[in-house]
Amino acid sequence: MSSELLQLEVSDKIATITLNRPDKHNAVTNVMWDGIFEMIRSLRARTDVSVIILKGAGKSFCVGHDMHEPLEVFPSATESPWFEEVDRLHDRWHSYREVMWRAPQPIIAQIQGNLFTIGLELAMQCDLVIAADDAKITVRSLGGASFLVHMWPWLIGVRKAKELLFMGAQISGKEAAELGMVNAAVPLERLDEHVREIAQRIAKVPVTLLALEKRACNLCFDQMGVPVAIEHSEAIRAVGFLSKESQSVREKMFSGNWREGVQMRDEQYRSESPR
């Protein structure tokens, strides 16, 4: 299933999915976004795959969506009534999350460089996250409400989650590890080796047992209310996207004036854009 933009390699029971747009810091297109989940689905029944690594080629894991191609997961106020957009967005994002949440294999995100918007959301859906200690993790939303809401109160505490979301903060990989947002932060030059070592250790365990352990942990999150939080956060995000504030920023971004759109977004947080 490998393509120019997404690469899949399987060896020693480890599947590695690589976002392959290094010149664009792995900004994702619609084709790439759907392709990531298609690849994960294709690995479900493979007995030769016990663990999956999700990584990005080049300097960054993923800086979000391609500004030259609005993602189909974003709602539009002109296409259909708001309630239809809310339902459409919920169905698509819920299906994406379910692919990763229900995959029998543990999924490890390997992050470096800049990481924000849907790139950050993608990494947060993985079972384990290993970061370069100098990675730049930026919390900035186009819609005013983030899908991260359904994970962060449990992972880093509700007060810290609110702080990051309210202020549009940028933290390093090292800080993310200290918060519990990621499992570990290591020097960039050791990132590949460290992630591979973890994957190799996991791969020694039969995938049937890994699937049971993963399911048991996920069921605990389910019982704590994560599915309900997802239901509401997806609806809130859709409404946020349809707000006039979000629409004005997105119109700038997707009409070719993406730099101006980013500036408009960042002015809300009184902060400079991440470099």
Side-chain angles (χ1 to χ4, degrees), residues 90-221:
H90 168 269
D91 291 343
R92 291 204 64 173
W93 275 102
H94 187 71
S95 66
Y96 291 143
R97 177 191 171 277
E98 284 293 294
V99 169
M100 303 181 78
W101 198 248
R102 305 304 176 193
Q105 301 94 344
I107 304 174
I108 307 171
Q110 175 179 321
I111 63 176
Q112 79 283 357
N114 287 316
L115 181 71
F116 47 97
T117 63
I118 62 170
L120 177 54
E121 291 164 358
L122 179 64
M124 290 296 102
Q125 299 303 325
C126 295
D127 301 295
L128 304 178
V129 185
I130 311 298
D133 54 15
D134 61 352
K136 296 178 181 179
I137 301 171
T138 305
V139 185
R140 302 269 167 86
S141 175
L142 286 177
S146 175
F147 293 119
L148 299 170
V149 169
H150 74 261
M151 295 293 289
W152 279 3
W154 285 274
L155 293 176
I156 64 177
V158 67
R159 295 195 186 280
K160 197 64 182 181
K162 288 180 178 180
E163 177 186 329
L164 295 180
L165 292 165
F166 292 166
M167 297 177 65
Q170 182 182 91
I171 62 174
S172 68
K174 183 176 182 294
E175 291 171 314
E178 292 170 351
L179 288 173
M181 185 186 300
V182 305
N183 295 85
V186 299
L188 177 61
E189 60 271 19
R190 290 197 57 243
L191 184 61
D192 273 317
E193 178 186 2
H194 188 79
V195 172
R196 192 74 185 178
E197 288 174 354
I198 291 174
Q200 288 172 339
R201 184 169 178 177
I202 293 173
K204 293 179 181 179
V205 181
V207 70
T208 51
L209 296 182
L210 292 170
L212 289 172
E213 299 289 7
K214 177 173 175 175
R215 182 66 60 91
C217 288
N218 288 353
L219 283 173
C220 289
F221 256 47

Side-chain angles (χ1 to χ4, degrees), residues 5 19-29 32 57-68 114 116 258:
L5 301 179
L19 283 62
N20 191 38
R21 291 188 82 195
D23 57 320
K24 301 293 185 181
H25 292 267
N26 296 312
V28 296
T29 63
M32 286 179 69
K59 295 182 178 180
S60 296
F61 171 73
C62 176
V63 297
H65 53 277
D66 189 331
M67 295 296 184
H68 300 289
N114 287 316
F116 47 97
W258 67 270

Side-chain angles (χ1 to χ4, degrees), residues 232-252:
H232 288 286
S233 67
E234 288 164 349
I236 291 169
R237 180 92 180 265
V239 172
F241 271 125
L242 296 172
S243 69
K244 64 180 183 180
E245 293 84 2
S246 177
Q247 288 286 329
S248 61
V249 172
R250 290 170 57 218
E251 285 172 4
K252 286 288 185 183

